[in-house]
Amino acid sequence: MPHQPDSELAAPPVSHAAPLIRATARLQLHRDFNFAQAAEVVDYYQRLGVSHLYVSPILTARPGSTHGYDVADASRINPELGGESGLRQLVQRLRAAGMGLLVDIVPNHMAVGRHNPWWQDVLRWGRESPHALWFDIDWDSADPALKGKVLLPFLGQPYAEALEAGELVLCLDAESGELYVEHYEHRFPLAAPDHALVLETAGSQRLAEVIAAFRKAMPQTCSAAYGLLRDLARDPEALADIDAALAGFSAAQPHGRSALHQLLERQHYRLACWRNAADEINWRRFFEVSELVGMRVEREDVFEAMHAELFRLYAEGLIDGLRLDHIDGLTDPAAYCLRLRQRLRSLRPGHEPYIVAEKILAGDEALPAAWQLDGSTGYDFMEQCAAVLHDGDGEPVLDDLWRDIVAELGSGPGSGSGSGSSQDCMQVHGPAELCHFPAMVQQARRSFLTRNFAAEFNALTHCLHQLARSAVTTRDLSLMSVRRCVAELLVHFPVYRTYATEEGMPALERELLARTAQLAAARLHPSDHPTLHVVEGWLGGDLMLPVGQEPRRALQLRAIARFQQLTPPLTAKSMEDTAFYRYGRLLSRNEVGAEPAQLALSIAHFHQLAARRAAQTPASLLATGTHDHKRGEDARMRLAALSEIPEEWATVVRHWRTLNAPIVAATAGAEGGIDAADEYMLYQSLVGVWPDGMRAGDDDLSALEELAARVIAWQRKALREAKRRSDWIAPQASYEAACERFTRALLCDPGLDARHHPFLTGLEEFVRRLAPLGAINSLSQTMLKLTMPGVPDFYQGSELWDLSMVDPDNRRPVDFDMRQRRLADAMSRPVSLRQWQSGGAKQQLIHAVLQHRRAHAQLYAQGQYLPLSTHGKLARHVIAFARLLPAPDGAQGQGWQATVVVCTRLAAHLLAFDGARDEALPLVSAEVWGDTRIVLPAQLSHAQGEGLRQWRSVLTSGAGPLEECAMPDGERGGSMTVSEILGSLPVELLELRLS
């Protein structure tokens, strides 16, 4: 039953005309930052100009969850966040401020374990459970030991050893009247009929009635039996009888261990060591996380049960829209999205729900229009915006530097092939492979198929083999041939997934699958080509079996679903969680949604993608930072500047490596010292994370010690994710310790005076020189997010510089008090670079442009996107475009609105100053811009019968007229000189007016 609201809590007044979504602020909720704390920052975000808070999942997660994506009970709002009363108070505060609420939801999976009542019911009743088909469990596993059972790979050691050690204990829950097996924090319920088997061993007449009740218990009628046992537990004599029965199953004695083993063999689950999960699990997981189980949300009963609480909240007007987590995990994302939108529409007539989905789009891939989503969560924009601010001309030098570094891995303890003691590490690479990103990803995919996703791969290939055996024409296709063909398809698959249904596969996706099959064929022996042809046809839906052949048709649809649900985690784990931690050419390009092999994006291509978004998904979120990012948005922009000065960077790195070589040797362990690749990536991370204003020579070393602790936590995660010298499954303690000793020696060795530590002082000096370039990139990135087609989204705290690393570093507490004080000061004066080192200029910029968005909401929501051409010697260093909202009557009179956006890019060689670069402002001087100008077409530059328009800065007091000019097509237009526009800031937002 859905959770009922507290009767004494009146819903706040709700307007079905919810606020227009202009800008969102993402908050991570957990027990230490709950609804009450979120309510306290509402006024801050309202003053900043945000229209909606956008929060992590609010349904009941596992106790202590720091993110909320492990929902255990979908029928209740998480009590750790403040429950329903806390949510209502937050919404009341939002409505009073004229703001709304978007909520992240998780339709793909739920947490397993004792806190999930649906899951526990399945363990209790097996296939007879009303929830047996709610979870994506293969009840007909090819493994006879798992036929009709659920594998539970949660033991800390092999089953026999856990049993022998007494780690499995039969217990009574006196409150519920249920017997269960306890293993540390796990609680595995006993099948109801087996309660009778256990209790009858006591030989007590007092237990006769409850034994009889459990023998007859069924899922719908079992409450009476549990009630009887609960009542007996209150009687001391009866409780003694129960304890005597339980004692017969104690692992302390051989006969007890044998009895407990026989009892466990009768259950609807099979206990196993956690290491068995990858090879044997018979239910769909979220990626390779065995604590999260896939849900069959394509079933109507599951859909309604998982969303009932959310639907109630939406119907009452408490929430205005949804963010869909891991949409690619669903069997049929299109059907789910359509059903969800229709359901929400029916709950609040007249209010169009806002729905975006987390979807990684590869290359020029677009969000399917048939899904009727408002857009994505913004990873595509994050990638495009970052890429256009990298300098492609730096690629050859960066390639050479990385190639030289990985060449050192060819021998010795630091070899990419690892050492003998680290043979359990997942993958090995030679220098050539570490230089070629696509090859690195393909090898990672192969390894994941044989290790981390072996069970999922086996289930898919067995399903296809069953399908082959079911027809005379395909019965000779062997399982091993099917495995080889499917493996090559998966290894070469270029996107996260396809979206075939019982109606077939969309044409463009079918072409993609055909191209993938061609690549697979080139790797396969010709004898496997016939099998590949059939498998391709089945997965592509061209050989879709007719409705009359239901068993075979069901097998084919199941195979298609399994293939399409395997490619997303395989792609993500191979790229984002493996190759991104190995490929170190430039870490600013190793980001979620990005393609590290592509260093930069041209301005023309950037404009094309923006125009497409304006036409297809104008309300898509625009993100530059998320709770899953690898590096904070401003750390990425600082590192991006390295692509502009590759020669200087290469010289600095080589100097640091020579300088620190004795420290590498001194901190080495049994597996040697930190190797060249890991050392280089450490230097990049230090450059990105080094706080503005930190001084190596300060007497107080606590700041350096805190930084070292953060970097070491990142380093340990990076080493294990890379699976090159260590691994989560088999951590290589010696190598990890050597890397930690090296990092500590660089940052906070108590035996070194930081003021005279050559590396530390060199790092500080280099970051100080690089910071103005990073700041220009960051301010341009921020301006682009604020003004391009879409809805700007701000990850918590990123209004100031965000130099964070991957989680958990990017989920540290945010100092909102400080940000509120800064904002109060920022609101009192025009945008300037006065406080650029502290991030004040960024916060000022965000506030100023969000106020403009508030006043011109329709311009940004519906306005046309017009790329503007730039001319002159520095044309490539300017990104310029206009947003245009024509007057309602189509003329240029009342209601006509237009803005021009101008951003600096690739400024490393443009900064003009007398002193060293570390004394420079993040600003290209007016003289340097020279004749560089921006040209506007007549529809922007001229008003009918009124002549040329003028421009006025939204950020400063600047203003001026446009100049008459001729367009390439002979039509008249207007122009403005960049030197006049970017005189005090590296970015500008201009309004076009008649006077």
Side-chain angles (χ1 to χ4, degrees):
M1 291 290 292
H3 174 64
Q4 297 301 314
D6 299 329
S7 59
E8 71 272 19
L9 292 170
V14 172
S15 168
H16 285 287
L20 178 68
I21 299 177
R22 300 186 314 271
T24 61
R26 168 69 183 214
L27 296 180
Q28 292 296 112
L29 301 180
H30 45 83
R31 63 185 176 189
D32 296 322
F33 190 87
N34 57 25
F35 294 135
Q37 279 81 36
E40 291 174 2
V41 302
V42 165
D43 291 343
Y44 163 70
Y45 278 117
Q46 193 277 336
R47 288 195 299 273
L48 189 65
V50 164
S51 66
H52 288 70
L53 291 188
Y54 153 43
V55 299
S56 55
I58 63 173
L59 299 180
T60 300
R62 290 190 295 185
S65 173
T66 59
H67 48 76
Y69 290 96
D70 46 356
V71 173
D73 186 349
S75 69
R76 295 188 303 139
I77 298 171
N78 196 341
E80 290 190 352
L81 304 183
E84 182 160 336
S85 62
L87 174 64
R88 288 181 178 275
Q89 290 165 16
L90 170 60
V91 173
Q92 214 157 15
R93 190 79 169 264
L94 286 166
R95 295 302 189 232
M99 297 171 67
L101 181 66
L102 308 179
V103 172
D104 203 338
I105 68 171
V106 192
N108 175 70
H109 56 266
M110 291 185 73
V112 301
R114 63 192 298 176
H115 301 288
N116 186 330
W118 300 342
W119 176 258
Q120 293 297 90
D121 194 66
V122 170
L123 301 188
R124 193 176 292 122
W125 295 100
R127 273 181 150 164
E128 294 182 13
S129 167
H131 307 105
L133 299 181
W134 287 27
F135 301 98
D136 202 348
I137 300 168
D138 182 3
W139 291 103
D140 296 306
S141 171
D143 182 351
L146 289 174
K147 194 80 169 179
K149 294 194 174 194
V150 180
L151 184 75
L152 299 184
F154 302 125
L155 303 184
Q157 55 185 323
Y159 171 78
E161 296 174 20
L163 189 66
E164 179 77 22
E167 295 178 355
L168 301 170
V169 182
L170 186 61
C171 303
L172 167 68
D173 183 341
E175 293 297 320
S176 65
E178 180 172 50
L179 300 180
Y180 64 93
V181 175
E182 185 175 70
H183 176 69
Y184 297 105
E185 74 275 16
H186 298 286
R187 178 180 286 198
F188 310 118
L190 215 60
D194 288 336
H195 283 57
L197 185 150
V198 170
L199 295 174
E200 66 186 6
T201 62
S204 171
Q205 190 58 34
R206 278 186 291 265
L207 304 181
E209 183 180 3
V210 72
I211 290 171
F214 272 116
R215 282 175 177 162
K216 297 184 296 184
M218 298 293 290
Q220 298 79 11
T221 61
C222 61
S223 58
Y226 289 116
L228 283 173
L229 189 55
R230 184 173 59 246
D231 292 341
L232 285 169
R234 298 192 185 103
D235 179 345
E237 293 183 345
L239 182 59
D241 292 339
I242 296 170
D243 288 340
L246 299 180
F249 295 85
S250 169
Q253 300 295 330
H255 71 274
R257 285 198 297 275
S258 176
L260 180 59
H261 168 64
Q262 294 301 321
L263 180 66
L264 288 170
E265 290 291 278
R266 292 173 53 87
Q267 302 312 302
H268 300 292
Y269 48 81
R270 178 181 175 85
L271 299 179
C273 176
W274 65 273
R275 292 181 182 275
N276 287 47
D279 291 337
E280 296 187 327
I281 203 160
N282 66 331
W283 41 275
R284 182 168 59 87
R285 302 173 290 174
F286 170 70
F287 286 21
E288 53 180 333
V289 182
S290 299
E291 290 77 26
L292 299 175
V293 58
M295 302 300 294
R296 298 186 62 193
V297 75
E298 66 273 14
R299 289 175 55 99
E300 186 173 358
D301 52 352
V302 180
F303 176 85
E304 290 296 332
M306 290 187 70
H307 296 79
E309 184 73 345
L310 296 163
F311 288 159
R312 180 177 68 82
L313 299 175
Y314 182 80
E316 290 189 36
L318 295 175
I319 58 179
D320 302 304
L322 301 174
R323 182 257 199 199
L324 312 179
D325 180 66
H326 193 48
I327 191 74
D328 274 343
L330 307 186
T331 297
D332 189 348
Y336 170 81
C337 291
L338 294 176
R339 174 184 276 176
L340 181 65
R341 183 169 290 279
Q342 292 166 1
R343 192 74 168 81
L344 293 174
R345 281 173 174 165
S346 71
L347 294 171
R348 280 168 69 180
H351 178 265
E352 188 62 30
Y354 180 76
I355 308 174
V356 293
E358 181 197 37
K359 166 70 181 146
I360 304 298
L361 299 168
D364 290 339
E365 184 184 9
L367 201 63
W371 294 7
Q372 295 186 17
L373 291 170
D374 290 288
S376 73
T377 54
Y379 286 123
D380 47 335
F381 172 79
M382 186 161 74
E383 147 67 355
Q384 296 156 17
C385 190
V388 79
L389 295 173
H390 281 71
D391 191 348
D393 289 347
E395 188 165 20
V397 177
L398 292 173
D399 279 343
D400 287 345
L401 176 59
W402 178 238
R403 194 177 297 112
D404 289 347
I405 285 170
V406 299
E408 297 183 29
L409 304 179
S411 61
S415 169
S417 60
S419 63
S421 61
S422 61
Q423 60 185 332
D424 282 340
C425 290
M426 195 182 85
Q427 297 166 38
V428 295
H429 280 280
E433 292 162 325
L434 286 172
C435 289
H436 191 251
F437 186 78
M440 185 188 302
V441 172
Q442 287 186 5
Q443 181 167 342
R445 284 172 177 257
R446 290 187 192 281
S447 191
F448 268 103
L449 287 177
T450 58
R451 294 182 59 116
N452 305 58
F453 294 122
E456 289 84 354
F457 179 63
N458 286 341
L460 166 60
T461 53
H462 276 289
C463 188
L464 286 166
H465 188 236
Q466 278 185 278
L467 184 58
R469 286 286 176 90
S470 66
V472 173
T473 54
T474 55
R475 59 177 285 173
D476 285 345
L477 299 183
S478 72
L479 174 61
M480 296 312 296
S481 180
V482 168
R483 288 175 64 87
R484 290 189 292 270
C485 293
V486 173
E488 291 304 325
L489 286 174
L490 290 168
V491 164
H492 291 89
F493 207 71
V495 295
Y496 269 67
R497 69 167 279 178
T498 51
Y499 302 97
T501 66
E502 60 184 11
E503 297 174 359
M505 183 177 284
L508 290 178
E509 295 170 19
R510 186 62 188 86
E511 292 174 11
L512 181 145
L513 180 62
R515 292 195 299 272
T516 305
Q518 290 175 351
L519 294 173
R523 290 281 308 214
L524 291 165
H525 190 276
S527 63
D528 282 325
H529 289 180
T531 302
L532 177 64
H533 177 71
V534 173
V535 168
E536 178 196 347
W538 280 335
L539 296 178
D542 353 330
L543 304 178
M544 186 64 70
L545 294 161
V547 175
Q549 299 183 37
E550 288 306 330
R552 297 188 65 225
R553 181 181 175 85
L555 273 175
Q556 182 178 3
L557 291 174
R558 186 62 176 151
I560 290 172
R562 281 180 165 158
F563 180 80
Q564 294 183 149
Q565 287 174 313
L566 178 54
T567 56
L570 181 64
T571 302
K573 295 301 293 183
S574 301
M575 286 186 62
E576 297 168 21
D577 293 343
T578 301
F580 280 13
Y581 291 94
R582 289 196 185 143
Y583 186 68
R585 180 177 68 177
L586 191 59
L587 294 185
S588 53
R589 295 299 294 134
N590 296 12
E591 190 51 79
V592 181
E595 175 53 60
Q598 178 187 351
L599 182 64
L601 185 70
S602 70
I603 294 177
H605 196 183
F606 180 72
H607 282 317
Q608 290 173 4
L609 294 170
R612 186 179 74 177
R613 185 169 57 255
Q616 297 177 357
T617 54
S620 187
L621 288 183
L622 306 179
T624 48
T626 74
H627 60 286
D628 281 333
H629 66 231
K630 304 299 184 187
R631 275 170 187 78
E633 58 191 57
D634 302 304
R636 285 200 309 275
M637 290 298 96
R638 183 186 286 176
L639 291 175
L642 298 177
S643 69
E644 305 174 48
I645 54 168
E647 292 88 356
E648 180 180 348
W649 169 239
T651 299
V652 166
V653 168
R654 291 185 175 109
H655 170 67
W656 286 348
R657 295 200 61 226
T658 301
L659 182 68
N660 294 328
I663 303 178
V664 173
T667 55
E671 293 191 34
I674 188 170
D675 69 26
D678 289 331
E679 182 185 2
Y680 179 53
M681 287 189 271
L682 172 62
Y683 293 148
Q684 291 187 62
S685 290
L686 289 174
V687 168
V689 78
W690 187 268
D692 283 286
M694 176 177 277
R695 294 292 177 260
D698 290 347
D699 291 333
D700 182 7
L701 294 180
S702 60
L704 281 170
E705 291 169 351
E706 179 186 347
L707 178 63
R710 291 173 54 206
V711 172
I712 287 166
W714 159 81
Q715 184 181 60
R716 185 180 301 113
K717 180 171 183 172
L719 293 173
R720 294 180 182 183
E721 294 284 22
K723 306 166 198 67
R724 191 175 61 84
R725 298 296 304 272
S726 191
D727 196 342
W728 291 108
I729 297 175
Q732 301 303 300
S734 176
Y735 183 71
E736 290 183 2
C739 292
E740 178 175 342
R741 286 192 297 271
F742 178 73
T743 303
R744 287 195 184 279
L746 293 187
L747 294 178
C748 57
D749 187 333
L752 295 173
D753 183 344
R755 288 168 293 187
H756 304 292
H757 190 329
F759 170 73
L760 260 189
T761 54
L763 172 64
E764 178 195 330
E765 178 187 351
F766 181 75
V767 172
R768 203 162 59 240
R769 296 201 314 273
L770 190 67
L773 303 180
I776 289 175
N777 284 342
S778 288
L779 293 174
S780 291
Q781 175 180 249
T782 301
M783 177 62 91
L784 292 171
K785 177 168 73 172
L786 285 162
T787 55
M788 298 198 77
V791 177
D793 173 49
F794 298 90
Y795 182 63
Q796 58 184 28
S798 64
E799 311 85 64
L800 300 179
W801 298 143
D802 180 2
L803 304 175
S804 62
M805 294 171 286
V806 73
D807 67 276
D809 192 68
N810 60 13
R811 302 177 191 179
R812 290 174 298 144
V814 176
D815 187 345
F816 281 108
D817 290 340
M818 181 262 286
R819 283 164 174 76
Q820 294 190 59
R821 292 193 301 271
R822 292 273 188 89
L823 180 61
D825 177 59
M827 292 169 64
S828 64
R829 52 189 172 80
V831 180
S832 74
L833 297 176
R834 192 175 77 181
Q835 296 181 346
W836 74 268
Q837 292 96 336
S838 66
K842 181 183 179 184
Q843 189 186 43
Q844 271 195 303
L845 175 64
I846 292 169
H847 171 259
V849 181
L850 287 184
Q851 302 315 308
H852 196 261
R853 287 186 71 104
R854 193 199 306 264
H856 302 83
Q858 294 306 316
L859 168 65
Y860 290 99
Q862 302 174 10
Q864 300 171 22
Y865 178 82
L866 303 174
L868 300 178
S869 61
T870 56
H871 301 269
K873 66 174 185 177
L874 300 182
R876 71 183 289 263
H877 298 279
V878 178
I879 301 173
F881 59 89
R883 301 300 307 275
L884 170 64
L885 185 69
D889 59 3
Q892 295 189 354
Q894 189 68 29
W896 188 92
Q897 300 177 49
T899 59
V900 172
V901 178
V902 184
C903 297
T904 304
R905 72 188 285 262
L906 311 184
H909 302 293
L910 306 183
L911 296 187
F913 43 82
D914 296 328
R917 189 169 71 220
D918 59 352
E919 299 173 4
L921 284 173
L923 180 69
V924 177
S925 68
E927 296 79 14
V928 172
W929 285 116
D931 65 347
T932 309
R933 60 194 173 92
I934 301 167
V935 176
L936 284 67
Q939 66 183 126
L940 293 173
S941 62
H942 290 73
Q944 294 177 1
E946 300 286 347
L948 279 168
R949 298 184 186 276
Q950 296 188 350
W951 59 265
R952 184 191 71 82
S953 171
V954 173
L955 308 180
T956 67
S957 57
L962 296 176
E963 299 178 5
E964 187 85 34
C965 74
M967 301 295 287
D969 58 5
E971 296 292 327
R972 65 179 183 171
S975 71
M976 55 180 76
T977 58
V978 174
S979 60
E980 189 175 5
I981 298 166
L982 299 183
S984 59
L985 293 169
V987 297
E988 256 296 4
L989 174 62
L990 309 174
E991 288 184 334
L992 296 180
R993 297 182 171 186
L994 285 175
S995 62

